[in-house]
Amino acid sequence: MIVVGIDPGPTHCGFCVYDNRAPRVIEAHKALPIVETLTALDIYAGRAALVAIERVQSYGIAGSSLLRTSETVGRVWQCSEALRLPTVLLYRREVLRGLDVTGKGNRDSLVRQRLIEIHGGDRASAVGTKAKPGPLYGVASHAWAALAVAVVAGMEAGR
C-alpha cells in the first residue's frame, strides 16, 4: 500500500511517499513549498491508498507560525479530499505512540532512530549510500516526520 505522509509547515512541507509492503521510501522531500506539495499529492492520487497528515496541536498560546501551519493542514486536507483520497490526520503524540517512542530527549532524533531500527537496525542498512541505497535513502530533515506519519498511518490501516 502506498502512503503519502506530510509534515506541514507555515511555508514548506516535509513530504514522503512510502510503500509499507516493500517497506521502503519511494520519494522524499525535506522542504517542499506548499503549492508543490499539492501538485505532488495530485501526481500520486492514482497510486496512493492513503494520505497521512500530521495535525498541529497548541499547548497554550498559539503563535503566527502555528496558525499558518494549521492553514496549511487545511489546504492539504482539502486537496486530498478533492482528489477522493482516504485521509487521516494524526497528532504528533499519536505518531510517537504508534512508533513506541517514549522517554526523555529530542523527540525528532528518537523518531529518526526508531524508523532506522524498523528498517534495518542501523543507519548503514536503513539509509545506505548513493552507491548502495537502503529503504530510507533520501530521507532528511522534515521528511523524517513525514515518513513517521506515513509509517504509523500504514500500520493502523493494515490492522
Side-chain angles (χ1 to χ4, degrees):
M1 172 172 61
I2 304 295
V3 181
V4 175
I6 300 172
D7 175 37
T11 60
H12 292 77
C13 296
F15 184 88
C16 187
V17 181
Y18 180 72
D19 182 346
N20 74 341
R21 296 227 167 97
R24 67 180 182 87
V25 171
I26 296 170
E27 183 177 342
H29 299 278
K30 62 182 179 182
L32 205 56
I34 295 167
V35 172
E36 290 181 34
T37 300
L38 301 177
T39 301
L41 194 55
D42 187 35
I43 290 168
Y44 279 97
R47 295 178 54 201
L50 181 65
V51 175
I53 306 166
E54 186 173 307
R55 177 180 242 170
V56 298
Q57 184 166 12
S58 173
Y59 293 99
I61 299 171
S64 67
S65 179
L66 183 70
L67 294 173
R68 289 175 49 216
T69 300
S70 68
E71 292 168 354
T72 301
V73 170
R75 288 181 67 187
V76 174
W77 188 9
Q78 182 179 28
C79 177
S80 180
E81 293 288 318
L83 294 168
R84 300 192 189 291
L85 290 166
T87 306
V88 61
L89 284 90
L90 297 170
Y91 288 112
R92 176 78 168 166
R93 64 177 159 30
E94 294 172 313
V95 174
L96 294 172
R97 190 177 328 118
L99 292 173
D100 199 26
V101 172
T102 58
K104 304 261 188 232
N106 182 329
R107 297 296 171 110
D108 290 339
S109 66
L110 293 173
V111 165
R112 190 169 39 255
Q113 184 58 43
R114 180 68 179 126
L115 290 168
I116 288 170
E117 287 172 10
I118 292 170
H119 292 89
D122 61 25
R123 189 169 184 84
S125 301
V127 178
T129 63
K130 186 174 184 176
K132 189 178 176 190
L136 305 182
Y137 184 77
V139 179
S141 189
H142 292 285
W144 283 107
L147 173 61
V149 173
V151 168
V152 171
M155 289 188 312
E156 290 181 1
R159 290 182 184 160

